[in-house]
Amino acid sequence: MIRTPLRYHRPRTPDEASALLVEHRGDVAVLGGGTQLLPQMNRDQVHVGHLVDLRGLGLRRIEVTDDQVVVEALVTYADVLLSRDLSRAAPHLRRVAHGVTGGRQIRNTGTLAGSACFAMPGSDMPAALVGIDAILRLHGPDGAREVRAADFYVDAFTTVLRPGEFVLAITIPRTAARTGYCKVKHSSGSWPIATATARRLDGSATVTLGSVHATPLHVDVSDLASNGPVDRAALADRVRSALPAPWTDVLAPGDYRARIAGVVAARAFSELEGVPA
Amino acid sequence: MTQSPPRPRPRDDGEATTPPPFAVTPEVDGDTAVDREPAPGRLHPLRRDGDLLLTGRAEFLDDIALPGLLHAAVLRSPHAHARVLRVDATAARQARGVRAVLAPEDADAQAAPLPAFFEPSIVGGKTSTFRILAGTKVTYVGEAVAAVAAETLADAEAALELIEVEYEVLPAVVDAEDALAPGAPLVFGEWGDNLLAVFPFAEGDAAAAVAAAPHRLSGELHTQRHHTAPMETRGYIASWDRAGRLTFWGSTQNPHPLRTNLSTVLGLPEDRIRVIATRLGGGFGHKFNGYAEEPLVCLLARAAGGPVKWVETRADALLVGAREFSHRFTVGYDDTGRILGIQDRVVGNIGALGSWGGWSMTFPAGMTFPGPYKVADYDIQSHAVVTNKAPWNGARGYGKETACLALERMVDLIAAERGLDPADVRRVNFIPEDEFPFWTAAKHLDSGNYAGALDKVLALSDYRGLRARQERARAGGRLFGIGLAFELTPEGGDFAGSFVRGYDTSTVRVYPSGAVTVLTGVTSPGTGNETSIAHLVASELGIPSEQVSVVQGDTDTCPYGFGNFTSRSLATGGAAAVLAAREIRDRMSGAAAALLDCAADDLRFADGNVTCVTVPTSSLSFAEVAETVYRRGLAAPGLDQPLLEVTRVDLPHNFHHVPDEQGRFSAYPSYPYSAHVAVVEVDAETGVVDLFEFHAVDDCGNVVSPRFVEGQLYGAISMGIGGALWEHQPYTTDGQPVATQFKHYLTPRAGDLPAIRLDSQHTPSPFTLLGTKGAGESGVGGGLAACVNAVNDALAPLGATAHHLPLNPPNVLAAIDAATNPGGAR
Ligand SMILES: Cc1cc2nc3c(=O)[nH]c(=O)nc-3n(C[C@H](O)[C@H](O)[C@H](O)COP(=O)(O)OP(=O)(O)OC[C@H]3O[C@@H](n4cnc5c(N)ncnc54)[C@H](O)[C@@H]3O)c2cc1C
């Protein structure tokens, strides 16, 4: 049960929201779907006196234009799965959203932005967003700014969000790039243990690994793919050396994650390139 | 209490495709000629309250809302081992909404020590004294130290933070082998060591037989701490009335023994306490009685002057341990794979002892040997070792699953070493069908056709086809594994001296309207036994099932009973209800004979009527007979037994408590068994196991409700699979439990399980009234062992063995690495 007295705020404008976040700095949290935040408050792991609910701002739209997809902060996994436009314009996002577990309750209430902001290493969304070059549109006391997902993550559970700042929307540039994906986890109830989003566009080849490190690990392997598929042995080496301090949690030790990171990366490329691992 | 009311008779537009029901064989149940067919067109009695459950209207403990209900929270030790120097609750008493606070000294002043669910000293084990709140020393993280009742749960939890406890932290021991080492920290200082008990189970001379055997092999097996995880956690509500009478609602499996314990702890006569066991959202042993929170809510309610509820959090539920076993075994065998001798040192890390009963799982863990196999010489030493983890409580499988796992691994290892088919090695070792009843050191096996069940599961799974598929897969470099397991599941145990008893009691009562109520001492954890009991009684009386209600779990109403454990309900309470119904029928026959002028032997009870078979027009409805007995009993000729209420006791007639001249005894009466085939593919690069087929054949003797038995098998096999592959409560080296949520403690979800295919065989028990055997636990060991065997079979081409459970990806990959890259980085 939430043990502390709690004040609920429902601002009507982004500026009001930022003002509240500044005013109660250190004692306030943004409420998205609440699927992470509220259980943590119930378990007495997060204690704040103020909640700022973003629902008064709308923020439930998915907007697809010729050059980008905008996913507003309160868009849920279910919204993503139901949007045909998004499926066409950002199929990778749909695919990753589809793999989020927890049943209907989580899909219907959990938001992509909430997952992005929670910055938990063992979750799906952060690395997926980094892997498709997503940009987070933030709002703060000084107005709006944009941050690349790749620059958003500082450490486990820590982002570059400054006091008073919150995520308004996630934008995903539409490109001709195709992606390959691989995820390893123990069972359907498990957090991801390792994910990889592989991407090739023109001459570039990148892979973004999730859940293997405190923050999403973006690895450029363009030089390993000069003439055809990415060289698998070199890829494994590259991934290994990019991962000096693998993430450990209750489900899997870091050495296991380090051990399979290269495999997961290779499989993502195999899917993308149509070449066996 | 669950009260399943009579229901209106449903329409008889039935289904026609389910297997034949109620396979009660007349040879065994010779005493009755009753027709156990359900209503025409219906092949299985409808589950009672299925509509309430499916529509979310069934009432569970947490749904009970008494006026003025207060909420309890418990302060638990953050240390695995510490002396409690001081508990100061002054500030908490002043906190918002707080109505009562209990520190250890308060509880001690008002309550006696907690009685053990199963007192170890009864079987020669060490023991200790356990209080409701630990005031001198805590022996595990999570041990209750203080408690608060407040107007809201939030207030109660907030007040906990104001209670100051000063601890002197002591060194903790969490590993069983470490705990046995000299100089280990002592969980109970007065014991001198950390060994609660050793249970030996032996026949012949195992050491000599193993030494003389043409071949032998040794190995080690480790199962992780994993337990049951009922969807509904525990919970209790206590309410005192003005006269000082206590009403207690509990999500518990044993309402009557719980009442006895409350009486002992609170010093209150038992008849001043009413315990009502609420509908359970799963039990599995987790809800055996004996927990500190049971009397704790009573003390809080008395101190607060209002009813108090406590509901276990998921993190607290995940503390309650089980099944952390290790085996060190040597087995000797001949060229054909026949086992000549087994030695196994079994060690159970039972956590700190408490008043909970789970430590006793170390007993069946040894007793179950040598399973379905005929082995003249074996020596099993089962050790119960205490550590600074939370204590065990019961867990479906009850230690029998670990014996199954060890035996089935041994058989597969022998097969692999000899190059034999694992099915053939099982076949040469089975106890032959014509040797039952069969004695082992501590079991009198009732009946069995083990080879028949094995053959059936091989056919069901197309075992030969599977081996052919495996050959092709292996040729393609894939790790394809097939795992067999044969599980013997001792059921219905009786431990005289405790409240874990092998008999139970039922009352059948007929009202003037013809309505029938069964009051029974067995309870249901959600398995549906009330439906089966109603059906059995209805069949005896020739009335529709819907005319029979079953009352369970209310100590004010039901005869004293032991509740739910060890798959005992039908062979005890069910059989007692049948005996009582038969006596009722005899009494009503006497009356009907006089009323219809027909010989009592010529009366038939069927279709709601009592009919004279020689003059079929001569008939009365069941209700007319009942009403006439009430209205004219002792007043009309021939109506001289007006009491239409009978209470009977029954049990499986296969207990042997007094050792025979060879020292053999049998505390379990009933021995169902099951044969399993699991099929997996292992991903060599990641260690991920894909379980994609599972087949099982079960033999639990005669079956009353086939779908309920299937339901039990699906659940038990899933539990075994979960234990084989994922479920784990890890501890840090300083004794902190790590899994606090279902995102950490990974039980299988539907998508993780293959469609489990079942078939059955029916070998009746000659010792139970209806020829039934227990049907609630079979499958835990089989699911566990078949999966572990399948993974090991898959890894065979790499020369790897995976003997450290769970076989989750990190552990499987470690096993692969150990074989393919010995001395490698990992
Ligand atoms: C049973 C269960 C299963 C799950 N399974 C998975 C899974 O398989 N994979 C996976 O990746 N995740 C999983 N999750 C986690 C789930 O993805 C996240 O809970 C969800 O996406 C978080 O979104 P939310 O809107 O509920 O966040 P909230 O709980 O509302 O917020 C999470 C955090 O982000 C902050 N926050 C939220 N929105 C914003 C914003 N717009 N700006 C700034 N800060 C914000 C909050 O203050 C809080 O700190 C599971 C969760 C549960 C409970």
Side-chain angles (χ1 to χ4, degrees), chain A residues 30 32-37 77 101 106 111 117 123-124 167 191, chain B residues 743:
Chain A
V30 175
T35 61
Q36 283 288 5
L37 180 63
Y77 298 114
T101 59
I106 299 303
T111 66
C117 293
S123 60
D124 286 296
V167 172
W191 295 111
Chain B
K743 290 297 283 182

Side-chain angles (χ1 to χ4, degrees), chain A residues 3 186 188 256 259 267, chain B residues 161 683 685-686 726 752 817:
Chain A
R3 303 172 181 193
H186 291 358
S188 47
Y256 173 74
R259 178 82 169 64
R267 288 184 184 180
Chain B
E161 275 162 46
D683 180 340
E685 289 182 318
T686 62
W726 303 295
D752 296 315
D817 284 349

Side-chain angles (χ1 to χ4, degrees), chain B residues 353-680:
Chain B
L353 186 67
S355 52
W356 322 343
W359 66 268
S360 62
M361 292 187 281
T362 51
F363 184 90
M367 179 205 82
T368 303
F369 281 87
Y373 306 119
K374 187 174 177 180
V375 180
D377 299 280
Y378 58 91
D379 180 3
I380 314 301
Q381 304 282 331
S382 185
H383 302 66
V385 177
V386 292
T387 61
N388 293 112
K389 296 184 177 181
W392 287 4
N393 206 347
R396 187 196 216 173
Y398 219 78
K400 307 153 203 171
E401 77 292 342
T402 202
C404 171
L405 174 66
L407 280 164
E408 295 306 286
R409 275 310 294 145
M410 290 179 206
V411 172
D412 268 28
L413 289 168
I414 292 169
E417 195 275 326
R418 287 283 85 210
L420 298 167
D421 189 291
D424 294 335
V425 176
R426 286 176 175 79
R427 222 176 259 116
V428 299
N429 283 294
F430 279 148
I431 299 163
E433 192 183 353
D434 56 8
E435 294 190 23
F436 289 94
F438 186 90
W439 268 111
T440 72
K443 295 188 300 295
H444 186 243
L445 301 174
D446 43 8
S447 62
N449 171 10
Y450 298 157
L454 179 67
D455 288 343
K456 217 163 176 173
V457 83
L458 297 180
L460 179 70
S461 61
D462 182 22
Y463 181 67
R464 277 209 212 147
L466 281 176
R467 288 287 177 204
R469 280 163 65 193
Q470 178 178 46
E471 205 169 307
R472 287 193 298 275
R474 280 184 174 167
R478 288 159 52 202
L479 300 178
F480 184 110
I482 302 164
L484 299 188
F486 199 97
E487 176 188 0
L488 176 80
T489 319
E491 294 284 34
D494 182 27
F495 294 90
S498 72
F499 282 116
V500 184
R501 297 305 315 275
Y503 71 90
D504 223 304
T505 307
S506 296
T507 298
V508 175
R509 188 185 282 165
V510 180
Y511 296 103
S513 64
V516 175
T517 293
V518 184
L519 305 132
T520 178
V522 297
T523 57
S524 168
T527 53
N529 66 34
E530 67 285 357
T531 302
S532 301
I533 292 170
H535 178 73
L536 288 170
V537 167
S539 303
E540 294 295 331
L541 300 178
I543 56 176
S545 246
E546 292 75 17
Q547 206 168 317
V548 181
S549 64
V550 176
V551 182
Q552 301 175 293
D554 183 344
T555 60
D556 264 12
T557 318
C558 298
Y560 199 103
F562 301 101
N564 164 249
F565 52 91
T566 193
S567 306
R568 61 196 292 277
S569 311
L570 278 197
T572 59
V578 167
L579 292 177
R582 285 180 188 165
E583 195 163 330
I584 293 267
R585 195 182 59 206
D586 286 348
R587 293 180 189 183
M588 289 179 72
S589 285
L595 295 171
L596 293 173
D597 194 17
C598 171
D601 285 351
D602 289 339
L603 290 168
R604 192 174 125 81
F605 284 65
D607 302 327
N609 294 313
V610 184
T611 306
C612 184
V613 288
T614 50
V615 192
T617 49
S618 182
S619 173
L620 286 168
S621 75
F622 180 84
E624 284 171 311
V625 177
E627 184 169 350
T628 308
V629 168
Y630 276 91
R631 288 185 184 275
R632 299 189 184 280
L634 299 181
L639 272 60
D640 14 274
Q641 176 47 287
L643 179 61
L644 296 187
E645 173 167 329
V646 172
T647 299
R648 292 292 297 266
V649 167
D650 203 27
L651 73 169
H653 299 270
N654 186 31
F655 290 114
H656 303 269
H657 292 299
V658 181
D660 68 6
E661 62 286 352
Q662 292 164 67
R664 302 177 306 195
F665 63 98
S666 191
Y668 281 79
S670 153
Y671 296 90
Y673 50 91
S674 49
H676 306 256
V677 176
V679 189
V680 303

